């Protein structure tokens, strides 16, 4: 299902995308909500290291709104503060 949603967003999923998708699902399991952008960046930094814990890295993978689009592809609800 994630592949179809990503294709609709013009994103070809790579290993780096899947790493963030799994991280988003882990975040949801831990906190029972989808992360907003700041929380996602911080969580990525903690779990994946400082090189991947940057908004620029996430924007390259999920252009526009990484938290919103990433959560959508991961099958999670839209983050509360995303438009």
């Amino acid at each position: 299902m994630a592949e179809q949603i990503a294709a609709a967003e013009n994103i070809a999923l790579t290993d780096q995308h899947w790493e963030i998708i799994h991280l988003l699902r882990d975040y949801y399991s831990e906190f029972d909500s989808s992360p907003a952008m700041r929380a996602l960046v911080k969580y990525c930094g903690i779990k994946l290291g400082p090189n991947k814990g940057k908004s620029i890295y996430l924007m390259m993978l999920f252009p526009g709104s990484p938290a919103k689009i990433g959560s959508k592809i991961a099958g999670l609800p839209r983050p509360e503060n995303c438009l």
Side-chain angles (χ1 to χ4, degrees):
M1 187 75 169
E3 294 277 353
Q4 293 173 344
I5 295 169
E9 296 288 337
N10 295 317
I11 297 172
L13 296 179
T14 64
D15 289 342
Q16 291 82 14
H17 289 95
W18 282 110
E19 184 175 48
I20 302 301
I21 290 167
H22 291 298
L23 185 105
L24 283 161
R25 291 176 179 166
D26 291 345
Y27 184 99
Y28 188 82
S29 292
E30 188 173 338
F31 299 105
D32 199 31
S33 68
S34 298
M37 185 61 180
R38 289 181 111 178
L40 177 58
V41 170
K42 185 174 181 178
Y43 197 71
C44 285
I46 292 168
K47 298 292 185 175
L48 304 176
N51 291 336
K52 294 182 180 180
K54 297 182 187 290
S55 58
I56 293 172
Y57 176 74
L58 295 172
M59 291 289 285
M60 288 182 348
L61 295 174
F62 302 100
S65 175
K68 181 179 172 184
I69 294 170
S71 291
K72 181 178 179 180
I73 293 170
L76 303 174
R78 185 174 66 191
E80 289 183 23
N81 64 349
C82 285
L83 301 174

